[in-house]
mmCIF file of all heavy atoms in Angstrom:
data_model
loop_
_atom_site.group_PDB
_atom_site.id
_atom_site.type_symbol
_atom_site.label_atom_id
_atom_site.label_comp_id
_atom_site.label_asym_id
_atom_site.label_seq_id
_atom_site.Cartn_x
_atom_site.Cartn_y
_atom_site.Cartn_z
ATOM 1 N N TYR A 1 -3.496 -1.473 4.755
ATOM 2 C CA TYR A 1 -3.831 -1.587 6.191
ATOM 3 C C TYR A 1 -3.254 -2.903 6.751
ATOM 4 O O TYR A 1 -2.650 -2.903 7.826
ATOM 5 C CB TYR A 1 -5.357 -1.557 6.364
ATOM 6 C CG TYR A 1 -5.732 -1.739 7.819
ATOM 7 C CD1 TYR A 1 -5.751 -0.666 8.694
ATOM 8 C CD2 TYR A 1 -6.065 -3.006 8.315
ATOM 9 C CE1 TYR A 1 -6.099 -0.808 10.039
ATOM 10 C CE2 TYR A 1 -6.410 -3.146 9.645
ATOM 11 C CZ TYR A 1 -6.434 -2.081 10.491
ATOM 12 O OH TYR A 1 -6.716 -2.260 11.829
ATOM 13 N N MET A 2 -3.462 -3.984 6.035
ATOM 14 C CA MET A 2 -2.940 -5.290 6.509
ATOM 15 C C MET A 2 -1.421 -5.262 6.618
ATOM 16 O O MET A 2 -0.867 -5.786 7.607
ATOM 17 C CB MET A 2 -3.405 -6.418 5.595
ATOM 18 C CG MET A 2 -4.825 -6.821 5.839
ATOM 19 S SD MET A 2 -5.291 -8.304 4.920
ATOM 20 C CE MET A 2 -5.314 -7.666 3.244
ATOM 21 N N ALA A 3 -0.774 -4.718 5.638
ATOM 22 C CA ALA A 3 0.698 -4.671 5.650
ATOM 23 C C ALA A 3 1.190 -3.920 6.873
ATOM 24 O O ALA A 3 2.142 -4.346 7.549
ATOM 25 C CB ALA A 3 1.210 -4.053 4.370
ATOM 26 N N GLU A 4 0.547 -2.813 7.136
ATOM 27 C CA GLU A 4 1.074 -1.920 8.221
ATOM 28 C C GLU A 4 0.593 -2.399 9.619
ATOM 29 O O GLU A 4 1.362 -2.310 10.583
ATOM 30 C CB GLU A 4 0.584 -0.493 7.997
ATOM 31 C CG GLU A 4 1.240 0.161 6.812
ATOM 32 C CD GLU A 4 0.743 1.541 6.521
ATOM 33 O OE1 GLU A 4 -0.383 1.875 6.929
ATOM 34 O OE2 GLU A 4 1.472 2.290 5.867
ATOM 35 N N ASN A 5 -0.624 -2.884 9.720
ATOM 36 C CA ASN A 5 -1.198 -3.151 11.023
ATOM 37 C C ASN A 5 -1.229 -4.621 11.417
ATOM 38 O O ASN A 5 -0.942 -4.984 12.553
ATOM 39 C CB ASN A 5 -2.594 -2.543 11.104
ATOM 40 C CG ASN A 5 -2.561 -1.054 10.926
ATOM 41 O OD1 ASN A 5 -1.988 -0.335 11.757
ATOM 42 N ND2 ASN A 5 -3.153 -0.552 9.865
ATOM 43 N N GLU A 6 -1.661 -5.487 10.513
ATOM 44 C CA GLU A 6 -1.820 -6.882 10.883
ATOM 45 C C GLU A 6 -0.510 -7.658 10.732
ATOM 46 O O GLU A 6 -0.197 -8.519 11.593
ATOM 47 C CB GLU A 6 -2.864 -7.526 10.003
ATOM 48 C CG GLU A 6 -4.292 -6.988 10.307
ATOM 49 C CD GLU A 6 -5.356 -7.652 9.459
ATOM 50 O OE1 GLU A 6 -5.132 -8.781 8.983
ATOM 51 O OE2 GLU A 6 -6.401 -7.014 9.255
ATOM 52 N N TYR A 7 0.269 -7.352 9.676
ATOM 53 C CA TYR A 7 1.491 -8.117 9.442
ATOM 54 C C TYR A 7 2.740 -7.344 9.793
ATOM 55 O O TYR A 7 3.848 -7.895 9.747
ATOM 56 C CB TYR A 7 1.529 -8.579 7.972
ATOM 57 C CG TYR A 7 0.404 -9.480 7.605
ATOM 58 C CD1 TYR A 7 -0.600 -9.045 6.765
ATOM 59 C CD2 TYR A 7 0.335 -10.771 8.078
ATOM 60 C CE1 TYR A 7 -1.651 -9.859 6.426
ATOM 61 C CE2 TYR A 7 -0.684 -11.613 7.741
ATOM 62 C CZ TYR A 7 -1.706 -11.152 6.907
ATOM 63 O OH TYR A 7 -2.737 -11.969 6.561
ATOM 64 N N GLU A 8 2.594 -6.061 10.095
ATOM 65 C CA GLU A 8 3.713 -5.178 10.429
ATOM 66 C C GLU A 8 4.809 -5.246 9.389
ATOM 67 O O GLU A 8 6.004 -5.367 9.702
ATOM 68 C CB GLU A 8 4.219 -5.498 11.824
ATOM 69 C CG GLU A 8 3.207 -5.221 12.910
ATOM 70 C CD GLU A 8 3.712 -5.494 14.331
ATOM 71 O OE1 GLU A 8 4.883 -5.879 14.488
ATOM 72 O OE2 GLU A 8 2.911 -5.337 15.260
ATOM 73 N N GLU A 9 4.417 -5.173 8.157
ATOM 74 C CA GLU A 9 5.357 -5.190 7.030
ATOM 75 C C GLU A 9 5.275 -3.832 6.333
ATOM 76 O O GLU A 9 4.783 -3.692 5.225
ATOM 77 C CB GLU A 9 5.015 -6.325 6.064
ATOM 78 C CG GLU A 9 5.186 -7.701 6.649
ATOM 79 C CD GLU A 9 4.879 -8.807 5.684
ATOM 80 O OE1 GLU A 9 4.025 -8.610 4.787
ATOM 81 O OE2 GLU A 9 5.471 -9.890 5.849
ATOM 82 N N ASN A 10 5.833 -2.833 7.019
ATOM 83 C CA ASN A 10 5.800 -1.468 6.508
ATOM 84 C C ASN A 10 6.535 -1.328 5.172
ATOM 85 O O ASN A 10 6.141 -0.500 4.351
ATOM 86 C CB ASN A 10 6.316 -0.502 7.539
ATOM 87 C CG ASN A 10 5.398 -0.381 8.753
ATOM 88 O OD1 ASN A 10 4.209 -0.524 8.616
ATOM 89 N ND2 ASN A 10 5.979 -0.167 9.911
ATOM 90 N N GLU A 11 7.568 -2.090 4.999
ATOM 91 C CA GLU A 11 8.322 -2.045 3.717
ATOM 92 C C GLU A 11 7.443 -2.499 2.552
ATOM 93 O O GLU A 11 7.544 -1.950 1.461
ATOM 94 C CB GLU A 11 9.601 -2.890 3.798
ATOM 95 C CG GLU A 11 10.702 -2.243 4.629
ATOM 96 C CD GLU A 11 11.126 -0.916 4.038
ATOM 97 O OE1 GLU A 11 11.370 -0.817 2.786
ATOM 98 O OE2 GLU A 11 11.263 0.060 4.805
ATOM 99 N N PHE A 12 6.615 -3.524 2.788
ATOM 100 C CA PHE A 12 5.739 -3.997 1.720
ATOM 101 C C PHE A 12 4.668 -2.932 1.454
ATOM 102 O O PHE A 12 4.311 -2.702 0.283
ATOM 103 C CB PHE A 12 5.109 -5.311 2.103
ATOM 104 C CG PHE A 12 4.310 -5.934 0.948
ATOM 105 C CD1 PHE A 12 4.930 -6.262 -0.230
ATOM 106 C CD2 PHE A 12 2.962 -6.149 1.080
ATOM 107 C CE1 PHE A 12 4.226 -6.824 -1.285
ATOM 108 C CE2 PHE A 12 2.240 -6.730 0.050
ATOM 109 C CZ PHE A 12 2.870 -7.053 -1.132
ATOM 110 N N ALA A 13 4.136 -2.290 2.481
ATOM 111 C CA ALA A 13 3.152 -1.208 2.280
ATOM 112 C C ALA A 13 3.803 -0.089 1.469
ATOM 113 O O ALA A 13 3.197 0.452 0.542
ATOM 114 C CB ALA A 13 2.662 -0.708 3.612
ATOM 115 N N LYS A 14 5.009 0.264 1.801
ATOM 116 C CA LYS A 14 5.754 1.311 1.059
ATOM 117 C C LYS A 14 5.944 0.878 -0.377
ATOM 118 O O LYS A 14 5.750 1.668 -1.313
ATOM 119 C CB LYS A 14 7.116 1.563 1.722
ATOM 120 C CG LYS A 14 7.940 2.597 1.062
ATOM 121 C CD LYS A 14 9.281 2.769 1.762
ATOM 122 C CE LYS A 14 10.139 3.775 1.014
ATOM 123 N NZ LYS A 14 11.508 3.820 1.511
ATOM 124 N N TYR A 15 6.323 -0.375 -0.616
ATOM 125 C CA TYR A 15 6.479 -0.914 -1.948
ATOM 126 C C TYR A 15 5.201 -0.775 -2.777
ATOM 127 O O TYR A 15 5.223 -0.364 -3.913
ATOM 128 C CB TYR A 15 6.908 -2.404 -1.854
ATOM 129 C CG TYR A 15 6.918 -3.117 -3.142
ATOM 130 C CD1 TYR A 15 7.973 -3.000 -4.043
ATOM 131 C CD2 TYR A 15 5.885 -3.952 -3.493
ATOM 132 C CE1 TYR A 15 7.977 -3.676 -5.238
ATOM 133 C CE2 TYR A 15 5.877 -4.641 -4.707
ATOM 134 C CZ TYR A 15 6.944 -4.489 -5.585
ATOM 135 O OH TYR A 15 6.942 -5.161 -6.764
ATOM 136 N N LEU A 16 4.055 -1.151 -2.149
ATOM 137 C CA LEU A 16 2.785 -1.054 -2.859
ATOM 138 C C LEU A 16 2.481 0.400 -3.219
ATOM 139 O O LEU A 16 2.039 0.690 -4.347
ATOM 140 C CB LEU A 16 1.666 -1.641 -2.028
ATOM 141 C CG LEU A 16 1.664 -3.135 -1.816
ATOM 142 C CD1 LEU A 16 0.590 -3.540 -0.824
ATOM 143 C CD2 LEU A 16 1.493 -3.828 -3.146
ATOM 144 N N ARG A 17 2.692 1.282 -2.310
ATOM 145 C CA ARG A 17 2.443 2.702 -2.602
ATOM 146 C C ARG A 17 3.341 3.244 -3.721
ATOM 147 O O ARG A 17 2.913 3.952 -4.617
ATOM 148 C CB ARG A 17 2.654 3.560 -1.344
ATOM 149 C CG ARG A 17 1.516 3.430 -0.373
ATOM 150 C CD ARG A 17 1.649 4.501 0.731
ATOM 151 N NE ARG A 17 0.602 4.374 1.684
ATOM 152 C CZ ARG A 17 0.758 3.808 2.929
ATOM 153 N NH1 ARG A 17 1.935 3.303 3.256
ATOM 154 N NH2 ARG A 17 -0.249 3.728 3.732
ATOM 155 N N GLU A 18 4.606 2.885 -3.659
ATOM 156 C CA GLU A 18 5.568 3.359 -4.635
ATOM 157 C C GLU A 18 5.310 2.780 -6.041
ATOM 158 O O GLU A 18 5.680 3.365 -7.031
ATOM 159 C CB GLU A 18 6.978 3.100 -4.188
ATOM 160 C CG GLU A 18 7.402 3.977 -3.033
ATOM 161 C CD GLU A 18 8.790 3.623 -2.503
ATOM 162 O OE1 GLU A 18 9.386 2.614 -2.927
ATOM 163 O OE2 GLU A 18 9.286 4.393 -1.632
ATOM 164 N N CYS A 19 4.771 1.563 -6.100
ATOM 165 C CA CYS A 19 4.503 0.948 -7.385
ATOM 166 C C CYS A 19 3.238 1.415 -8.073
ATOM 167 O O CYS A 19 2.997 1.023 -9.200
ATOM 168 C CB CYS A 19 4.454 -0.587 -7.178
ATOM 169 S SG CYS A 19 6.078 -1.291 -6.847
ATOM 170 N N THR A 20 2.456 2.215 -7.380
ATOM 171 C CA THR A 20 1.247 2.753 -7.991
ATOM 172 C C THR A 20 1.649 3.753 -9.035
ATOM 173 O O THR A 20 2.258 4.761 -8.752
ATOM 174 C CB THR A 20 0.354 3.388 -6.914
ATOM 175 O OG1 THR A 20 0.053 2.454 -5.930
ATOM 176 C CG2 THR A 20 -0.916 3.947 -7.540
ATOM 177 N N VAL A 21 1.290 3.441 -10.292
ATOM 178 C CA VAL A 21 1.681 4.317 -11.406
ATOM 179 C C VAL A 21 0.628 5.385 -11.648
ATOM 180 O O VAL A 21 0.956 6.527 -11.914
ATOM 181 C CB VAL A 21 1.911 3.450 -12.670
ATOM 182 C CG1 VAL A 21 2.164 4.317 -13.866
ATOM 183 C CG2 VAL A 21 3.033 2.462 -12.439
ATOM 184 N N ILE A 22 -0.624 4.984 -11.593
ATOM 185 C CA ILE A 22 -1.699 5.938 -11.849
ATOM 186 C C ILE A 22 -2.889 5.605 -10.968
ATOM 187 O O ILE A 22 -3.173 4.420 -10.742
ATOM 188 C CB ILE A 22 -2.078 5.956 -13.357
ATOM 189 C CG1 ILE A 22 -3.105 7.078 -13.677
ATOM 190 C CG2 ILE A 22 -2.608 4.609 -13.770
ATOM 191 C CD1 ILE A 22 -3.301 7.304 -15.115
ATOM 192 N N THR A 23 -3.554 6.636 -10.502
ATOM 193 C CA THR A 23 -4.773 6.454 -9.705
ATOM 194 C C THR A 23 -5.899 7.054 -10.520
ATOM 195 O O THR A 23 -5.897 8.278 -10.831
ATOM 196 C CB THR A 23 -4.658 7.158 -8.353
ATOM 197 O OG1 THR A 23 -3.540 6.609 -7.641
ATOM 198 C CG2 THR A 23 -5.922 6.943 -7.535
ATOM 199 N N LEU A 24 -6.819 6.218 -10.905
ATOM 200 C CA LEU A 24 -7.986 6.676 -11.693
ATOM 201 C C LEU A 24 -9.184 6.856 -10.791
ATOM 202 O O LEU A 24 -9.457 6.000 -9.957
ATOM 203 C CB LEU A 24 -8.299 5.639 -12.793
ATOM 204 C CG LEU A 24 -7.182 5.379 -13.780
ATOM 205 C CD1 LEU A 24 -7.577 4.226 -14.691
ATOM 206 C CD2 LEU A 24 -6.826 6.600 -14.550
ATOM 207 N N LEU A 25 -9.848 7.949 -10.940
ATOM 208 C CA LEU A 25 -11.041 8.262 -10.149
ATOM 209 C C LEU A 25 -12.197 8.532 -11.099
ATOM 210 O O LEU A 25 -11.984 8.849 -12.283
ATOM 211 C CB LEU A 25 -10.772 9.475 -9.272
ATOM 212 C CG LEU A 25 -9.571 9.344 -8.336
ATOM 213 C CD1 LEU A 25 -9.263 10.689 -7.687
ATOM 214 C CD2 LEU A 25 -9.779 8.290 -7.292
ATOM 215 N N ASP A 26 -13.379 8.453 -10.574
ATOM 216 C CA ASP A 26 -14.538 8.657 -11.430
ATOM 217 C C ASP A 26 -15.200 10.001 -11.136
ATOM 218 O O ASP A 26 -16.316 10.261 -11.609
ATOM 219 C CB ASP A 26 -15.523 7.524 -11.159
ATOM 220 C CG ASP A 26 -16.476 7.275 -12.326
ATOM 221 O OD1 ASP A 26 -16.179 7.773 -13.429
ATOM 222 O OD2 ASP A 26 -17.519 6.673 -12.115
ATOM 223 N N GLU A 27 -14.534 10.859 -10.397
ATOM 224 C CA GLU A 27 -15.168 12.128 -10.023
ATOM 225 C C GLU A 27 -15.085 13.201 -11.119
ATOM 226 O O GLU A 27 -15.913 14.074 -11.141
ATOM 227 C CB GLU A 27 -14.543 12.627 -8.726
ATOM 228 C CG GLU A 27 -13.040 12.827 -8.792
ATOM 229 C CD GLU A 27 -12.413 12.978 -7.427
ATOM 230 O OE1 GLU A 27 -12.934 12.442 -6.456
ATOM 231 O OE2 GLU A 27 -11.377 13.647 -7.369
#
């Protein structure tokens, strides 16, 4: 949210999303 809205660094937001290797959930 901060990357996209507060700092307008969409490339960094994209970087964070792409670097996510696994999402663990407890459901």
Side-chain angles (χ1 to χ4, degrees):
Y1 178 84
M2 283 188 288
E4 292 176 338
N5 299 296
E6 292 180 25
Y7 299 109
E8 296 181 3
E9 295 181 331
N10 291 329
E11 284 300 312
F12 187 62
K14 181 181 176 189
Y15 171 81
L16 291 174
R17 283 191 182 102
E18 289 175 352
C19 288
T20 301
V21 174
I22 186 169
T23 302
L24 301 174
L25 305 170
D26 204 18
E27 58 195 29

